[in-house]
Amino acid sequence: MELTVLNDTPSESAGGCSTSSCGSSNDQLSHLPDEIKQKVHNHPCYSEEAHHYFARMHVAVAPACNIQCHYCNRKYDCANESRPGVVSELLTPDQAVKKTKAVAANIPQMTVLGIAGPGDPLANLDRTFETFRRLSEEAPDIKLCVSTNGLALPAAVEELSKHNIDHVTITINCVDPEIGAQIYPWIYWNNRRIHGKKGAQILIEQQQKGLEMLVAKGILVKVNSVMIPGVNDQHLKEVSRIVKQKGAFLHNVMPLIAEAEHGTFYGVMGQRGPSNEELMELQDECSGDMNMMRHCRQCRADAVGLLGEDRGDEFTMDKIEQMDIDYEAAMVKRAVIHQGIAEELAEKEKKRAALAAVKVPSGPAAENKHFRPVLMAVATSGGGMINQHFGHATEFLIYEASSNGVRFISHRKVDQYCIGNDTCGEKESALSGSIRALAGCEVVLCSKIGFEPWGLLEEAGIQPNGEHAMEPIEEAVMSVYEEMIATGRLDQSKGESSQMSA
């Protein structure tokens, strides 16, 4: 039997992503049947394009879990950590329904409600399905999703299919029980704890069975995998191959979060997470087998808003109790806004098609040459535009420009360098951290940048560029790449190129 494991995770303007985290390649959905495109076109976790425009929320109704992961430490009253398994307040199903309606009324771009913890939704069946049943009746315009470790999935598939749930995420970290035993110290199965390889074997078998059953029901499956260097990093290529073979739609390879202060086993024991370069290399290797998700935010189990932002503080239960929500009116408003976004996306697709038709320069300077790809970092506050000050960025989008065009690679988190208009330059450690985070990039595009970071970036071999403010990201990245070709910067190695631009 082939085996696989799946992992449980885990603005008012209609104009886009609130952060600099964007997703997989823009043609990610182009080859899919229309039926599937329709399911994912406005799902921010399943479509890279959608996450610029549509929001999601998670409701924390599932406190219990049926497995233990070495990278997980659930917290139920925590506001200062941004990772899966963490929430500020647990909700009853009734509170979850109220909160969902409040968020959808106030953030009309919200299209998806997910239950992803802080434990496993399918280890909390009554609370999970009561929430889904109520929402399918009272908020029929919202997509319903669930994220699970897969242990209890086969027994729940039939019930999931009854509640308008056509997107399920399973976390699969391995298809080999020997590797699984290094990730999962125990599972809770048939009213007892089962440890080590035996427990991992049961978990893997249940995950694979559940995946096959979901696909047979026509439910889209996204597989999450946590990349753990030295444990499963080399093995995840096999995971990707198998889950694609069994019908999974999307694979999301995420970096291990293992900070000691989070209290996880891996964090306390000093297990490192992957570098940006290691993660990108593995994602590229896996992408040969299936669609890759690269815009995952590794959200909290109570996240609210566009991917990369968390507006949860606006929707605590004490605040929601003071709100007067007319959801019938909200659905009308939401439909209008969603239609506007659809029209904007259609126009954007036309522009993208026109851009794709433009070739990298083929004049005398470029004739018969193959130019190396270039990584560029982008500061953006949303909408697919270069519209953020370098010092205000808390993340950078990383794009690769090459003779084949422009593709999104990843996002890299940084500490904000400028807190306000008059404080640029006061956070030297944050600035140094930002420059380290951009290692491997040759250009950083932003709307504005101060003199000090400009000089330090150049010293690090990264060319700042503020000439494309308020331009679409992909067009600007390609424009800079073409300029690098025309000026001969790609005829040199990276080091020579950066010296030439200084």
Side-chain angles (χ1 to χ4, degrees):
M1 175 182 177
E2 288 184 309
L3 301 177
T4 312
V5 184
L6 298 140
N7 185 32
D8 186 319
T9 322
S11 142
E12 277 298 319
S13 71
C17 178
S18 67
T19 76
S20 49
S21 82
C22 302
S24 41
S25 61
N26 289 317
D27 63 350
Q28 179 193 41
L29 308 182
S30 61
H31 64 290
L32 298 174
D34 289 341
E35 179 184 359
I36 294 181
K37 286 183 185 178
Q38 187 60 31
K39 285 184 178 181
V40 303
H41 80 282
N42 62 353
H43 195 309
C45 301
Y46 278 63
S47 165
E48 182 274 330
E49 188 73 67
H51 104 277
H52 292 278
Y53 297 89
F54 295 103
R56 64 25 181 149
M57 68 174 293
H58 296 163
V59 288
V61 298
C65 197
N66 50 8
I67 70 173
Q68 179 61 53
C69 308
H70 276 325
Y71 53 75
C72 182
N73 180 26
R74 299 189 303 281
K75 296 183 180 180
Y76 306 109
D77 183 20
C78 179
N80 60 1
E81 292 183 20
S82 181
R83 61 180 177 86
V86 172
V87 300
S88 293
E89 55 184 354
L90 289 170
L91 304 178
T92 66
D94 185 63
Q95 289 173 321
V97 172
K98 288 181 179 179
K99 182 172 182 176
T100 302
K101 289 181 175 180
V103 171
N106 287 278
I107 307 178
Q109 309 98 300
M110 198 275 277
T111 56
V112 175
L113 178 285
I115 300 179
D120 190 88
L122 303 184
N124 301 262
L125 288 174
D126 291 344
R127 296 167 65 93
T128 294
F129 285 120
E130 173 64 13
T131 303
F132 283 146
R133 182 188 64 77
R134 291 271 310 277
L135 285 171
S136 63
E137 295 172 356
E138 300 178 35
D141 62 331
I142 295 175
K143 291 181 184 292
L144 303 178
C145 296
V146 66
S147 178
T148 176
N149 60 46
L151 181 61
L153 180 57
V157 169
E158 191 65 36
E159 190 69 17
L160 286 168
S161 67
K162 296 177 182 178
H163 291 280
N164 193 33
I165 298 167
D166 53 11
H167 303 76
V168 174
T169 294
I170 313 169
T171 297
I172 299 184
N173 293 313
C174 61
V175 293
D176 180 343
E178 295 281 357
I179 294 174
Q182 300 175 58
I183 301 171
Y184 309 104
W186 55 261
I187 68 170
Y188 192 73
W189 180 248
N190 290 337
N191 298 314
R192 63 191 182 97
R193 286 191 181 185
I194 301 176
H195 297 264
K197 181 179 175 181
K198 184 177 180 181
Q201 176 80 41
I202 294 170
L203 175 62
I204 292 169
E205 290 176 353
Q206 288 293 102
Q207 292 169 335
Q208 294 306 304
K209 182 178 179 181
L211 169 58
E212 293 168 351
M213 292 173 69
L214 289 170
V215 171
K217 287 280 188 182
I219 297 173
L220 290 182
V221 178
K222 173 168 70 72
V223 171
N224 282 355
S225 299
V226 178
M227 180 183 179
I228 311 165
V231 178
N232 70 345
D233 48 340
Q234 297 304 310
H235 177 62
L236 286 179
K237 288 176 283 187
E238 178 69 1
V239 171
S240 191
R241 184 189 67 80
I242 290 174
V243 298
K244 178 184 180 182
Q245 182 183 74
K246 295 195 174 186
F249 163 71
L250 193 63
H251 193 190
N252 173 27
V253 178
M254 308 175 292
L256 172 70
I257 299 174
E259 305 300 330
E261 57 266 29
H262 294 161
T264 66
F265 176 84
Y266 277 150
V268 172
M269 297 304 293
Q271 169 66 51
R272 73 175 182 90
S275 67
N276 292 320
E277 292 77 14
E278 288 171 332
L279 179 64
M280 185 177 81
E281 181 179 357
L282 179 59
Q283 289 174 332
D284 284 346
E285 290 175 344
C286 291
S287 66
D289 284 315
M290 70 183 304
N291 288 324
M292 292 300 298
M293 178 183 181
R294 299 179 188 255
H295 61 283
C296 177
R297 311 308 304 158
Q298 294 179 274
C299 303
R300 290 168 55 100
D302 57 2
V304 174
L306 295 160
L307 292 194
E309 74 174 357
D310 189 359
R311 297 175 60 180
D313 287 347
E314 301 174 36
F315 299 99
T316 55
M317 287 311 301
D318 58 329
K319 294 176 181 176
I320 289 170
E321 294 296 343
Q322 305 302 315
M323 297 180 185
D324 182 17
I325 304 299
D326 181 347
Y327 197 70
E328 293 293 328
M331 283 197 291
V332 174
K333 177 182 178 182
R334 285 161 51 76
V336 171
I337 288 177
H338 292 184
Q339 179 60 34
I341 294 174
E343 293 172 358
E344 181 175 341
L345 288 174
E347 185 62 29
K348 187 175 181 179
E349 184 56 37
K350 291 180 183 178
K351 292 182 179 179
R352 180 177 293 120
L355 179 63
V358 177
K359 302 294 184 181
V360 170
S362 56
E367 189 173 358
N368 296 324
K369 289 187 178 180
H370 177 74
F371 297 100
R372 61 177 173 80
V374 173
L375 292 183
M376 303 189 197
V378 176
T380 176
S381 58
M385 308 289 286
I386 298 172
N387 54 8
Q388 190 171 44
H389 190 298
F390 175 86
H392 296 170
T394 56
E395 292 178 326
F396 289 91
L397 300 182
I398 308 301
Y399 283 84
E400 180 189 78
S402 71
S403 300
N404 295 321
V406 177
R407 67 173 181 138
F408 174 79
I409 296 295
S410 66
H411 60 84
R412 299 184 187 176
K413 295 182 179 180
V414 298
D415 289 329
Q416 188 174 345
Y417 168 56
C418 293
I419 304 302
N421 291 334
D422 300 322
T423 60
C424 294
E426 293 181 4
K427 296 182 68 178
E428 293 182 6
S429 60
L431 175 56
S432 298
S434 295
I435 293 174
R436 286 195 301 272
L438 299 182
C441 297
E442 297 183 51
V443 179
V444 58
L445 294 108
C446 52
S447 62
K448 192 175 180 181
I449 184 170
F451 177 79
E452 180 183 4
W454 184 293
L456 292 175
L457 284 164
E458 285 191 329
E459 289 178 11
I462 304 170
Q463 180 60 43
N465 188 310
E467 298 176 4
H468 297 274
M470 302 311 298
E471 292 183 14
I473 292 172
E474 293 171 24
E475 294 180 23
V477 169
M478 181 53 72
S479 177
V480 172
Y481 188 66
E482 291 172 347
E483 181 183 345
M484 293 176 77
I485 292 174
T487 56
R489 290 175 59 189
L490 298 190
D491 293 337
Q492 287 79 33
S493 67
K494 290 183 181 180
E496 292 172 333
S497 175
S498 62
Q499 293 171 14
M500 198 173 164
S501 64

